[in-house]
Amino acid sequence: MVVQKFGGTSVADPEAIRRLIEIVRTARTRDGRGPVVVVSAMSKVTDALLAIASTAAAGRTGEALQRVDELRERHAAAVRALVSGPAQTPLLAHIAGQLDQLADIVRALAVLREVSPRTLDVVAAMGELLSSRVVAAALTEAGVAADWVDARCAVITNNEHTSANPLGPETAAALRNTVMPILDGGRVAVLGGFVGATVEGHTTTLGRGGSDYSGAIVGAGIAAREIQIWTDVDGMLTADPRVIASPRLIAQLSFAEAAELAYFGAKVLHPSTILPAVERNIPVRILNSWKPDAAGTLITAQSAGTGARLTGLASKKDVTVIDITSTRMLMAYGFLRRVFEVFERFRTAVDMVTTSEVSVSVTVDDRRNLDAIVQALSEFSEVSIEGELALLCAVGDSLQGEPEIAARVVSVLEEVPLKMISQAASRRNITVVLPQSDLPHAMQRLHQEFFT
Ligand code: ADP
Ligand code: ASP
Ligand code: MG
């Protein structure tokens, strides 16, 4: 059985949902069972919900309520187009009820003038909770018997609101109680991605783009044969198509390569998605919902053996480098511990690290606690920061056996002022930090060298 996750553009409107229905029908015919369908919010709905929360908290109630009505109309229109039988009236009533609740929250936020992470999760989760109801009803109407599953009863997480992580045993048990009976009853199970709840039942979300993660969590929980990520591109591409005009499709890559590309900016896959798949060794396939018959990208434990080629490029913008210098670091052990304790204390992830005898440079993309971090580091070192930088990452398992690839990467970039260069012992990527303004040109040069 497979888990099929559909992203926002793949459930954007009635036409997209009709394509989804045929994809689900095909999987069901092929496997004779399932599938489990995990859906994102309709495209742009999560952005709209977050904007509603902040507009409300800024006291602009009228504006926020107007956006609530736009969401009401968009979901109701999808229901009217897809569900005409007896299910239509109760579903429209349910949607109206949910959006009335959202309007109540808007008024409350306008009084309080602040949004707590816990409230933000209740608001953000509405997109997936609504889209999944619509998709379940549309499937059933089209003759593919489907039941809706409340993701808050299926994915149990810790209480890190807005970027929660699943609790393994609790989620496995919850999936056994919610999803499995539906599959055993010969029906399709449909749930919203991105959403979960704590053990106490408080709604959580898994971080932006987190529906992919939900797909993998569910796939691991029910020991799926394959986790499919249905999206709006042909698969994992050799570079971000918004940066490089015609990147190539990567037909196959390893979990480790995919994790690097996703972590360093290949938005097509949420970086946490790979872990549950690795733990249960479940292949992940990225597919285009506009071209259901195309092969897409297959991600498995084995690498594809690309010879002297790289697998792909990824990049992250708005990166900040923090340069930490201390003459006392010379020969001193314990210095790095003190440095990283500061990042731990301020819950800020470091992406890349390079060191010299007396200095350590790290990159971060989360600037929320930057001032406090600089202050804390300044207590035992000299600190300088530089912004408007980008991180460019060249990934390939082939880097392990073909040392000249690394040399080619750096020499292709000879005209670009590189701020940092790193290659870890796993030798699966070479990452450089460069001025953001040089990124498009650097990407083009590398892509041309390795992929055209
Ligand atoms: P979904 O809503 O289906 O989850 P996303 O917008 O999150 O879709 O991710 C798909 C998008 O990721 C593509 O439209 C593409 O612009 C972008 N993207 C960035 N890097 C890559 C890459 N290396 N390969 C494929 N797509 C990429
Ligand atoms: N709807 C959520 C977001 O836009 C999750 C997802 O689509 O993966 O971030
Ligand atoms: Mg996505």
Side-chain angles (χ1 to χ4, degrees):
M1 179 160 18
V2 297
V3 172
Q4 301 188 305
K5 176 267 173 176
F6 292 87
T9 45
S10 303
V11 294
D13 49 35
E15 282 70 24
I17 296 175
R18 288 193 191 103
R19 285 193 293 274
L20 170 154
I21 291 170
E22 294 319 312
I23 292 166
V24 172
R25 203 194 299 277
T26 304
R28 187 168 172 71
T29 310
R30 187 190 48 223
D31 294 347
R33 199 156 180 259
V36 181
V37 176
V38 176
V39 296
S40 286
M42 296 171 85
S43 64
K44 308 256 161 54
V45 167
T46 308
D47 289 337
L49 288 164
L50 296 175
I52 285 168
S54 58
T55 314
R60 304 205 303 275
T61 318
E63 194 182 326
L65 290 175
Q66 192 192 327
R67 299 200 74 169
V68 173
D69 280 333
E70 285 163 17
L71 291 181
R72 188 189 299 272
E73 190 37 46
R74 184 157 168 212
H75 288 88
V79 171
R80 287 193 297 267
L82 293 162
V83 186
S84 54
Q88 195 197 68
T89 311
L91 184 53
L92 287 174
H94 174 80
I95 289 171
Q98 290 295 299
L99 288 149
D100 288 347
Q101 237 180 57
L102 180 57
D104 288 342
I105 295 175
V106 162
R107 290 185 203 95
L109 292 176
V111 175
L112 295 170
R113 291 294 171 102
E114 68 162 306
V115 202
S116 68
R118 197 162 130 182
T119 306
L120 199 58
D121 272 349
V122 169
V123 172
M126 283 192 175
E128 270 73 7
L129 293 174
L130 289 172
S131 65
S132 55
R133 290 254 191 191
V134 175
V135 166
L139 278 163
T140 304
E141 171 101 3
V144 185
D147 287 333
W148 181 73
V149 174
D150 187 339
R152 294 166 296 189
C153 303
V155 177
I156 310 303
T157 71
N158 62 12
N159 62 2
E160 277 213 24
H161 284 280
T162 75
S163 57
N165 272 299
L167 304 175
E170 287 83 350
T171 299
L175 288 166
R176 269 198 300 280
N177 292 332
T178 54
V179 169
M180 287 318 280
I182 296 172
L183 300 176
D184 292 341
R187 298 170 70 86
V188 174
V190 182
L191 69 158
F194 181 56
V195 175
T198 62
V199 175
E200 298 79 30
H202 299 300
T203 304
T204 52
T205 63
L206 308 180
R208 293 310 304 269
S211 291
D212 300 340
Y213 192 16
S214 301
I217 292 164
V218 174
I222 67 160
R225 172 173 67 77
E226 182 171 290
I227 296 159
Q228 299 180 346
I229 307 290
W230 290 88
T231 184
D232 61 354
V233 284
D234 288 352
M236 180 74 86
L237 305 171
T238 50
D240 186 334
R242 293 162 300 182
V243 180
I244 294 291
S246 34
R248 285 171 35 184
L249 176 70
I250 305 173
Q252 197 189 334
L253 72 165
S254 66
F255 284 137
E257 290 172 318
E260 299 279 0
L261 287 169
Y263 188 77
F264 289 109
K267 186 194 170 213
V268 70
L269 202 62
H270 184 282
S272 304
T273 307
I274 290 297
L275 192 63
V278 171
E279 281 169 356
R280 304 290 299 251
N281 196 16
I282 303 173
V284 175
R285 209 182 276 276
I286 306 178
L287 294 149
N288 188 341
S289 65
W290 295 81
K291 300 183 198 164
D293 299 325
T297 294
L298 179 63
I299 310 172
T300 60
Q302 299 82 32
S303 55
T306 50
R309 293 204 316 272
L310 282 171
T311 299
L313 306 174
S315 60
K316 235 181 189 180
K317 286 201 237 174
D318 297 319
V319 166
T320 300
V321 169
I322 307 176
D323 204 27
I324 305 144
T325 308
S326 168
T327 43
R328 278 173 297 159
M329 183 179 160
L330 204 64
M331 303 280 184
Y333 49 82
F335 181 76
L336 286 175
R337 179 180 54 73
R338 291 185 71 184
V339 168
F340 287 110
E341 255 170 15
V342 171
F343 290 94
E344 188 182 357
R345 181 150 30 104
F346 293 101
R347 303 170 84 89
T348 298
V350 164
D351 286 332
M352 179 172 164
V353 184
T354 57
T355 66
S356 73
E357 187 112 310
V358 292
S359 77
V360 188
S361 303
V362 305
T363 70
V364 297
D365 68 354
D366 174 358
R367 298 176 60 102
R368 279 176 300 181
N369 293 315
L370 197 56
D371 292 343
I373 289 170
V374 169
Q375 197 180 351
L377 292 169
S378 301
E379 283 167 19
F380 56 89
S381 54
E382 268 171 47
V383 185
S384 66
I385 60 174
E386 184 172 354
E388 287 176 44
L389 298 171
L391 202 146
L392 198 173
C393 182
V395 175
D397 284 337
S398 54
L399 279 161
Q400 292 163 17
E402 306 281 346
E404 84 280 4
I405 298 179
R408 265 168 78 199
V409 169
V410 177
S411 74
V412 165
L413 298 177
E414 67 186 353
E415 283 157 26
V416 179
L418 301 180
K419 304 274 171 189
M420 289 165 73
I421 304 180
S422 115
Q423 180 184 56
S426 70
R427 281 194 288 151
R428 189 167 288 115
N429 74 51
I430 297 209
T431 308
V432 298
V433 173
L434 66 173
Q436 189 142 295
S437 52
D438 285 314
L439 180 65
H441 152 82
M443 276 291 253
Q444 252 135 34
R445 296 219 47 184
L446 272 179
H447 199 267
Q448 188 158 16
E449 169 77 14
F450 286 97
F451 301 105
T452 52

